[in-house]
Amino acid sequence: MGSKRGYFGEYGGRFVPETLMPALEELERAFLKAKNDRNFIADFESLLKDYVGRPTPLYFAKRFTEYLGGAKIYLKREDLAHTGAHKINNALGQALLAKKLMKKERIIAETGAGQHGVATATGAALTGLKCDIYMGTEDIRRQALNVFRMNLLGARVLPVDTGSKTLKDAINEALRDWTTNVRTTHYVLGTVFGPHPYPMLVRFFQSIIGREARQQIFKKEGRLPSLLIACVGGGSNSIGLFSGFLKDREVKMIGVEAGGKGIESGLHAARFAGGAKGIFQGCLSYVLENEDGNILQTHSVSAGLDYASVGPEHAYLKETGRVQYTYATDDEALQAFELLSKFEGIIPALESAHAIAEAIKIAPKMSKDSIIIINLSGRGDKDVQEVARIKAEDSSIRSE
Amino acid sequence: MTKKGFTVRKKFEQIKNKGRRAFIPYIMAGDPDLEETAKRLKILEQAGADIIELGVPFTDPLADGPTIQRAAERALNSGTTLRKILNFLADFKDKINVPIVLMTYLNPVFCYGIERFFKDAQKANIGGIIFPDLTVEESQPYRYFAKKYGVDIIFLVAPTSTPERVKKIIKASTGFVYYVSITGITGSSLKLDKTFENHIDFVKSFGKPVCIGFGVSNPEEAGCVSKYADGVIVGSAIVKVFYETPDKAFEFIKSLREAI
């Protein structure tokens, strides 16, 4: 880690309007307090157990392993967590922080596909906080079901009609709201991104994934895995898993970004393959930008990976070589989505399907006694309709 | 003979000697294109601007409201970039006598190269720089090159800034200190609120010029805000009048000038 506060090597930092600084300083103080507050940690862990349903299983995917014919494949089943993805770990942690340590009345969040919005609305319902979720109008159109879920949970969904009308614009609006209402409101950022202390705060709440997985693999196999694979949007599920194994030098790690329609096409969200260093939405990291420093539009079949930048700790882990980064295209992710459904009876989220796609490429080349753990970060129910639409489009193209 | 550059701090000395307050209008460069920007800069000068704040368009202007964000979109649509703005100002510098302060988000400058940017800013006779997303804590390399190339660097202070932060910000700022509003607080609500008055007085107590940008939308508010400060910055209202009723822009801007 870097010597400067809030930095991972040269990445991270705090690049925000002055209006937000007092809020970030307050949050940092609350976070440091929470980490050492036994009551807070006990409350959080008890909710993870009884409300979220942790620990989530580490499941040996036997038929999928046999089909690929190489390394043994384990799935860390974050899809079985309450609300259907790892997002709940962080949303609940921050809701608790807002309620208990910062005494706020209201939480706000951004959401792209709606998973983090649903998780935050759930955290708000559980703790009795008011909740507003910012969502781009383009995403509202694509994810009507999640909008309804958030409303059911008592949250208001506030449409954002500026810029590209998607996730990054929702973050801009949430930051503006926070600036105005900082005295009463906490902003629940959904991933290991943004200004310090968010990358460390979200990592703290997601690190439960890696801690559990490490214990579970020792119990089942009596040894460390050879390889970890996780998808990387902002990067919270991958940091959650990787953080438990960073000190185990023999464990290799691969982060999988969204290759969209291919890097050459320009329609992707592979920041490491197609981006450069930049300062965006609060931190220095890798960004998809043009030479003039403006932020590019991104594309992915999976809304959760469809974002122009990536958590600063990932930039650092790439630079040090500790983690390798690659990408899977839309097509590869869709094939993986179907394959896992057929062989294991588990429909993965399209985000997680990117990690599965990498395993499909790499597992057959590995020996049968090697072990892969894939973070199955979410379940695919939310994606079924979209996949059906894409398949219908494809078959109509083929029949023409 | 004074040192070359640093035209913003020099301008404030003149204004102070005359016992006046500064009027600092803002427009977005390239809204809707740079030819129009050239005309608008002259209009602002003729209407009595002391300093002009010129925005650099950015795709994700998170410190700005919708009026300026839409102006940035118009500027980006006409292909306006930081590089083009610097070239434009290098050509335009002899045609205007008002110091120009560039307001730009960090990423365009970061991608351009920090030193190269300040070097070219000096060539274009740019008086000062405001980075809305640069905190004092992260500012070291930017301040270093600003000083080296004779450009003032202006930091923002907010009503929520703690006394410790105010001190750091004032120490880092050269030229003037930009007292920025938070949403929901406009020029008209300012006169009602004693807390903000006290805070502004505290910021002023260090002796550096303080200019206020508080969502001023008309001459009455401009007059009210000017009582508390060494200068008044007017952004959205001017961007709006140029966009909606350009024929009335000159008169409107002149009336703001007269109210301050």
Side-chain angles (χ1 to χ4, degrees):
Chain A
M1 281 278 139
S3 51
K4 230 173 127 187
R5 199 172 59 165
Y7 273 83
F8 305 89
E10 67 171 299
Y11 303 101
R14 217 176 229 179
F15 298 91
V16 292
E18 173 59 24
T19 42
L20 282 180
M21 281 305 288
L24 290 170
E25 288 179 340
E26 182 194 5
L27 179 61
E28 187 180 12
R29 282 192 300 273
F31 171 45
L32 292 175
K33 203 171 151 200
K35 281 207 291 191
N36 299 309
D37 181 336
R38 271 196 214 152
N39 290 332
F40 179 85
I41 299 293
D43 283 350
F44 180 54
E45 283 177 352
S46 138
L47 281 175
L48 286 182
K49 179 168 174 282
D50 298 329
Y51 187 74
V52 178
R54 303 205 73 94
T56 59
L58 184 71
Y59 164 74
F60 173 51
K62 188 161 173 286
R63 291 196 68 224
F64 193 50
T65 298
E66 281 165 7
Y67 169 76
L68 294 177
K72 292 177 84 168
I73 293 178
Y74 282 88
L75 304 175
K76 180 61 176 159
R77 299 290 307 273
E78 292 300 297
D79 61 317
L80 293 177
H82 180 45
T83 71
H86 72 290
K87 290 286 184 194
I88 190 75
N89 303 329
N90 169 54
L92 215 56
Q94 287 199 46
L96 218 56
L97 197 66
K99 174 87 178 182
K100 299 227 162 181
L101 292 183
M102 295 194 288
K103 313 284 179 204
K104 303 286 181 186
E105 299 159 14
R106 171 178 178 254
I107 52 179
I108 56 170
E110 82 293 344
T111 198
Q115 293 307 104
H116 175 56
V118 168
T120 303
T122 303
L126 180 73
T127 50
L129 291 165
K130 274 187 253 168
C131 182
D132 286 327
I133 306 291
Y134 286 93
M135 191 169 182
T137 47
E138 184 56 27
D139 288 331
I140 288 177
R141 188 188 60 74
R142 288 189 287 196
Q143 300 286 342
L145 192 64
N146 269 342
V147 174
F148 185 67
R149 284 172 83 192
M150 288 183 266
N151 289 334
L152 265 181
L153 293 161
R156 269 197 309 178
V157 176
L158 304 174
V160 178
D161 201 28
T162 49
S164 61
K165 301 169 190 183
T166 59
L167 179 60
K168 75 179 174 69
D169 310 285
I171 293 177
N172 288 338
E173 274 315 306
L175 285 169
R176 287 181 186 129
D177 178 312
W178 197 29
T179 305
T180 313
N181 301 302
V182 61
R183 288 182 184 90
T184 56
T185 300
H186 170 62
Y187 175 26
V188 182
L189 188 72
T191 189
V192 287
F193 190 71
H196 175 65
Y198 281 109
M200 287 177 186
L201 174 71
V202 178
R203 175 197 216 263
F204 178 74
F205 290 129
Q206 293 294 3
S207 62
I208 184 76
I209 303 172
R211 280 202 306 280
E212 283 177 7
R214 199 170 186 283
Q215 281 180 5
Q216 288 166 322
I217 198 71
F218 267 109
K219 209 166 175 188
K220 285 181 192 281
E221 293 279 350
R223 61 192 166 110
L224 285 165
S226 330
L227 176 66
L228 309 175
I229 305 176
C231 63
V232 182
S236 70
N237 89 77
S238 46
I239 286 291
L241 177 66
F242 295 170
S243 63
F245 298 86
L246 282 173
K247 286 180 189 147
D248 304 312
R249 303 311 297 187
E250 65 269 46
V251 179
K252 290 194 178 129
M253 304 177 185
I254 300 179
V256 188
E257 297 185 283
K261 296 188 189 300
I263 305 303
E264 328 63 60
S265 73
L267 301 168
H268 63 88
R271 290 68 45 102
F272 290 125
K277 287 177 197 174
I279 297 169
F280 178 55
Q281 290 184 335
C283 63
L284 172 58
S285 185
Y286 270 71
V287 183
L288 288 171
E289 60 198 355
N290 64 19
E291 58 172 8
D292 300 305
N294 282 304
I295 309 306
L296 296 173
Q297 302 271 7
T298 52
H299 165 83
S300 170
V301 68
S302 127
L305 304 182
D306 196 355
Y307 181 64
S309 189
V310 60
E313 188 173 4
H314 284 290
Y316 174 71
L317 292 171
K318 177 190 162 57
E319 197 164 277
T320 59
R322 182 66 189 92
V323 178
Q324 265 181 280
Y325 293 85
T326 183
Y327 58 86
T329 62
D330 285 356
D331 286 347
E332 289 167 339
L334 286 164
Q335 280 165 21
F337 180 86
E338 289 192 32
L339 216 60
L340 194 73
S341 303
K342 265 178 206 153
F343 278 96
E344 294 291 346
I346 297 170
I347 302 175
L350 277 174
E351 289 78 12
S352 322
H354 285 70
I356 307 285
E358 176 60 19
I360 293 171
K361 290 179 208 167
I362 205 167
K365 297 180 204 155
M366 293 168 69
S367 70
K368 289 195 175 181
D369 64 345
S370 47
I371 300 166
I372 298 177
I373 297 178
I374 304 171
N375 200 9
L376 197 70
S377 54
R379 66 176 182 227
D381 307 41
K382 69 180 174 62
D383 297 314
V384 168
Q385 216 174 358
E386 179 67 4
V387 174
R389 192 187 62 78
I390 292 168
K391 284 183 69 112
E393 239 173 43
D394 283 358
S395 61
S396 74
I397 289 167
R398 246 178 262 128
S399 63
E400 265 166 24
Chain B
M1 186 69 200
T2 48
K3 223 173 134 197
K4 238 188 116 200
F6 301 116
T7 49
V8 174
R9 65 180 77 165
K10 287 174 192 163
K11 185 77 183 186
F12 266 99
E13 277 163 28
Q14 288 172 18
I15 292 169
K16 209 175 159 188
N17 289 340
K18 287 182 191 159
R20 292 173 54 235
R21 293 189 184 94
F23 168 49
I24 309 177
Y26 168 100
I27 57 170
M28 175 65 73
D31 170 24
D33 54 44
L34 285 170
E35 289 83 69
E36 184 62 26
T37 300
K39 287 182 207 156
R40 289 181 185 178
L41 288 172
K42 290 308 286 180
I43 292 173
L44 294 175
E45 181 178 39
Q46 281 153 16
D50 293 300
I51 290 170
I52 297 170
E53 196 184 319
L54 189 62
V56 175
F58 181 54
T59 38
D60 293 80
L62 67 86
D64 286 301
T67 303
I68 289 176
Q69 181 160 14
R70 300 234 147 84
E73 283 168 12
R74 292 193 292 272
L76 289 170
N77 285 340
S78 68
T80 311
T81 63
L82 178 61
R83 185 173 49 81
K84 287 185 186 169
I85 292 167
L86 289 169
N87 290 340
F88 161 76
L89 289 174
D91 288 343
F92 192 72
K93 67 182 175 199
D94 299 327
K95 297 182 189 128
I96 193 155
N97 274 318
V98 178
I100 288 179
V101 169
L102 218 55
M103 178 147 183
T104 174
Y105 286 85
L106 280 172
N107 204 42
V109 170
F110 183 80
C111 290
Y112 193 85
I114 302 172
E115 177 160 20
R116 183 177 159 224
F117 167 75
F118 279 101
K119 211 170 170 177
D120 289 351
Q122 182 185 45
K123 280 185 209 156
N125 209 13
I126 288 168
I129 306 288
I130 303 171
F131 295 111
D133 52 353
L134 180 64
T135 55
V136 191
E137 287 81 354
E138 307 283 357
S139 67
Q140 199 276 329
Y142 299 88
R143 279 155 65 193
Y144 174 82
F145 290 118
K147 195 175 172 189
K148 182 172 173 186
Y149 292 104
V151 179
D152 280 311
I153 183 161
I154 293 128
F155 285 84
L156 280 68
V157 75
T160 45
S161 301
T162 57
E164 298 76 49
R165 296 199 59 76
V166 169
K167 281 179 209 162
K168 281 199 272 186
I169 291 164
I170 287 172
K171 211 172 154 216
S173 283
T174 68
F176 65 92
V177 179
Y178 189 148
Y179 197 101
V180 69
S181 87
I182 55 178
T183 321
I185 301 162
T186 64
S188 49
S189 53
L190 183 66
K191 69 179 158 193
L192 307 171
D193 198 321
K194 196 79 191 146
T195 321
F196 287 116
E197 264 188 66
N198 292 339
H199 194 258
I200 292 165
D201 283 343
F202 176 66
V203 176
K204 278 162 68 184
S205 70
F206 296 88
K208 274 199 186 151
V210 177
C211 299
I212 303 188
F214 251 88
V216 166
S217 60
N218 56 47
E220 195 199 344
E221 288 179 1
C224 162
V225 167
S226 73
K227 291 192 190 83
Y228 302 99
D230 303 297
V232 179
I233 299 154
V234 187
S236 303
I238 289 175
V239 170
K240 208 168 161 186
V241 73
F242 272 123
Y243 180 62
E244 287 174 359
T245 47
D247 295 348
K248 293 181 183 153
F250 180 76
E251 284 309 316
F252 176 70
I253 296 161
K254 213 167 144 226
S255 67
L256 289 169
R257 160 76 278 180
E258 281 156 6
I260 291 166

